[in-house]
Amino acid sequence: MTTERIVGIGAGAKELATEDMTLNIGPQHPSTHGVLRLRLTLDGERISAAEPIIGYMHRGAEKLFEVRDFRQIIVLANRHDWLSAFSSELGVVLAVERMLGMEVPVRAVWARTLLAELNRVLNHLMFLGSYPLEVGAITPIFYAFREREVLQRVMEEVSGGRMHYMFNRVGGLKEELPAGWTGRARHAVTEVRARMSDIADLIMGNEIFRARTRNVGVLTREQILQYGVSGPIARASGVDFDLRRDEPYLAYGELPVRVVTRQEGDCLARFECLLDQVYASLDIADACLDRLAELPPGPINQRLPKVLKVPEGHTYAWTENPLGLNGYYLVSRGEKTPWRLKLRSASFNNIQVLAELLPGNLVADMIAILGSMFFVVGDIDK
């Protein structure tokens, strides 16, 4: 015998059932790795609209540049993206050196290139460890931090800082590399390369991780170009562009820069790009160490006047930072401070595409998508 039960739910229930819900994701507490707010409009479990709301970490860096001299502004740029401190310093000094028409000693050029690639590996290792944590895998972060400590040790020895190196100077580097440091750096690079398979095998062979990331959060090439997305995120969608190869600076023009790309444009492709980029950067680091070993002794910086004034004019320098393209538009009126220094940070552009990327996806997939965008919140707000 079958019993059929009919339940009356009242007038207006239809409109109530289809009403969209607005959900705020964040802002989180500053003790996390940054404060970002997402305002989502949900249709059931599916996102129908998304609005990234930034500004919670605005520090007025661009305005502060205007009241500090050309040596002091390096410390502000250094802290903009705390995972890419050396690379952020580099863009500022390259812009100032271009305005001055300054030739940097060859030892400084190769040492800068080496340190920039070690900093790139440190940045990528952080995301290679923290991203699986976002989707429920805790073990990879311990492996990633083990490798980070190996490289942090040599970076701290050469600069004196663990995160905010302050080792770049207008005209070169702060000081000569310590005696025997290149040997220790080479050993660190070899050790990290040998143990990267621990991370790769643990994650890439995990069926749950692949199921959570494959065909999730697909970014098209057209969206990448429309929003100015750059770095590993853009290359994961088939945008084969890397400043180190296409518009070389430092010593990259003399190095075989391998550009890692994928075509799928999903969360998994972005993670794979980051993983393969670590190997490519370690290869560049080895090439830089070989070249440094061949160079004769010489200066590693230029002597500067006590008061450094930059000639009147303007220039634009850009670098391939670990998270994408960073640009520095410098305007000088011949004084000891910049008249204007405008930053183009990679994370700012990369996060804007979320407004187009998230709609249509499930709330459960939002965390996987958000983590795969590899952004630093401090690099968004200026």
Side-chain angles (χ1 to χ4, degrees):
M1 179 179 176
T2 302
T3 303
E4 184 179 19
R5 181 175 296 168
I6 300 174
V7 179
I9 55 176
K14 182 178 180 181
E15 289 77 14
L16 181 63
T18 59
E19 184 179 345
D20 289 341
M21 180 176 73
T22 300
L23 177 67
N24 279 290
I25 306 295
Q28 301 296 335
H29 191 274
S31 64
T32 64
H33 56 184
V35 182
L36 174 70
R37 177 184 168 199
L38 287 174
R39 184 159 55 202
L40 306 179
T41 304
L42 304 181
D43 182 5
E45 286 291 314
R46 200 166 292 277
I47 300 169
S48 57
E51 180 188 1
I53 301 173
I54 65 174
Y56 292 95
M57 295 195 68
H58 173 67
R59 292 153 290 170
E62 292 179 337
K63 201 65 184 172
L64 292 173
F65 288 145
E66 299 172 14
V67 292
R68 283 160 174 78
D69 68 32
F70 288 99
R71 293 180 176 91
Q72 294 170 327
I73 61 176
I74 299 172
V75 74
L76 294 173
N78 170 294
R79 283 155 171 75
H80 213 259
D81 173 359
W82 46 78
L83 293 180
S84 312
F86 186 88
S87 301
S88 299
E89 299 171 12
L90 192 58
V92 172
V93 297
L94 288 176
V96 176
E97 287 163 2
R98 183 177 297 175
M99 292 279 284
L100 290 168
M102 180 179 288
E103 190 78 20
V104 176
V106 65
R107 283 180 57 78
V109 172
W110 283 95
R112 279 177 172 179
T113 310
L114 167 63
L115 293 169
E117 290 307 307
L118 294 181
N119 189 201
R120 191 182 309 275
V121 175
L122 282 170
N123 175 289
H124 291 355
L125 282 171
M126 172 62 80
F127 288 107
L128 290 173
S130 64
Y131 180 51
L133 191 63
E134 307 276 9
V135 293
I138 190 171
T139 307
I141 199 165
F142 299 118
Y143 287 99
F145 267 77
R146 179 188 66 181
E147 311 316 323
R148 274 177 57 86
E149 281 303 312
V150 173
L151 293 177
Q152 288 278 29
R153 196 172 300 120
V154 295
M155 292 292 283
E156 185 175 4
E157 180 188 356
V158 74
S159 68
R162 280 182 60 83
M163 289 184 67
H164 304 301
Y165 305 110
M166 275 304 295
F167 198 54
N168 278 288
R169 295 292 186 274
V170 176
L173 294 172
K174 175 186 174 185
E175 56 197 8
E176 182 57 81
L177 306 177
W181 180 84
T182 53
R184 292 186 287 277
R186 188 183 295 277
H187 178 74
V189 169
T190 303
E191 186 177 348
V192 170
R193 182 188 287 107
R195 299 198 303 201
M196 279 301 297
S197 59
D198 292 346
I199 300 175
D201 295 344
L202 184 66
I203 303 172
M204 299 312 297
N206 188 294
E207 293 182 9
I208 299 174
F209 179 82
R210 299 182 75 88
R212 289 292 307 275
T213 55
R214 190 192 292 113
N215 297 325
V216 175
V218 177
L219 266 177
T220 66
R221 177 185 173 86
E222 290 70 27
Q223 289 171 326
I224 294 288
L225 299 177
Q226 182 182 14
Y227 281 85
V229 176
S230 59
I233 300 172
R235 292 191 283 273
S237 295
V239 179
D240 187 8
F241 180 76
D242 191 310
L243 274 182
R244 296 171 299 167
R245 180 198 64 190
D246 301 323
E247 290 194 25
Y249 57 99
L250 295 181
Y252 289 116
E254 302 177 46
L255 292 166
V257 178
R258 180 167 66 92
V259 180
V260 179
T261 60
R262 293 290 187 276
Q263 299 299 320
E264 297 84 359
D266 57 11
C267 294
L268 183 60
R270 291 191 280 273
F271 186 86
E272 288 176 342
C273 271
L274 215 64
L275 183 63
D276 286 353
Q277 181 60 62
V278 170
Y279 293 104
S281 291
L282 291 174
D283 291 342
I284 295 175
D286 269 339
C288 290
L289 286 165
D290 291 340
R291 186 72 174 94
L292 281 169
E294 298 168 358
L295 290 175
I300 204 158
N301 50 36
Q302 294 276 25
R303 293 183 63 87
L304 299 176
K306 187 174 181 179
V307 177
L308 179 63
K309 293 186 177 182
V310 171
E312 187 172 351
H314 60 91
T315 191
Y316 182 77
W318 56 342
T319 57
E320 186 70 45
N321 269 37
L323 299 180
L325 297 177
N326 268 32
Y328 307 83
Y329 180 58
L330 173 63
V331 183
S332 173
R333 289 189 170 176
E335 302 297 332
K336 66 177 183 178
T337 61
W339 183 75
R340 187 79 170 95
L341 178 54
K342 170 68 177 171
L343 293 180
R344 189 269 188 207
S345 59
S347 295
F348 179 82
N349 284 69
N350 291 358
I351 208 67
Q352 303 308 311
V353 78
L354 287 174
E356 191 164 330
L357 175 60
L358 288 176
N361 288 281
L362 296 171
V363 176
D365 290 331
M366 180 204 64
I367 299 300
I369 297 170
L370 204 59
S372 74
M373 298 305 288
F374 310 133
F375 59 87
V376 172
V377 180
D379 201 38
I380 300 172
D381 298 330
K382 291 172 283 187

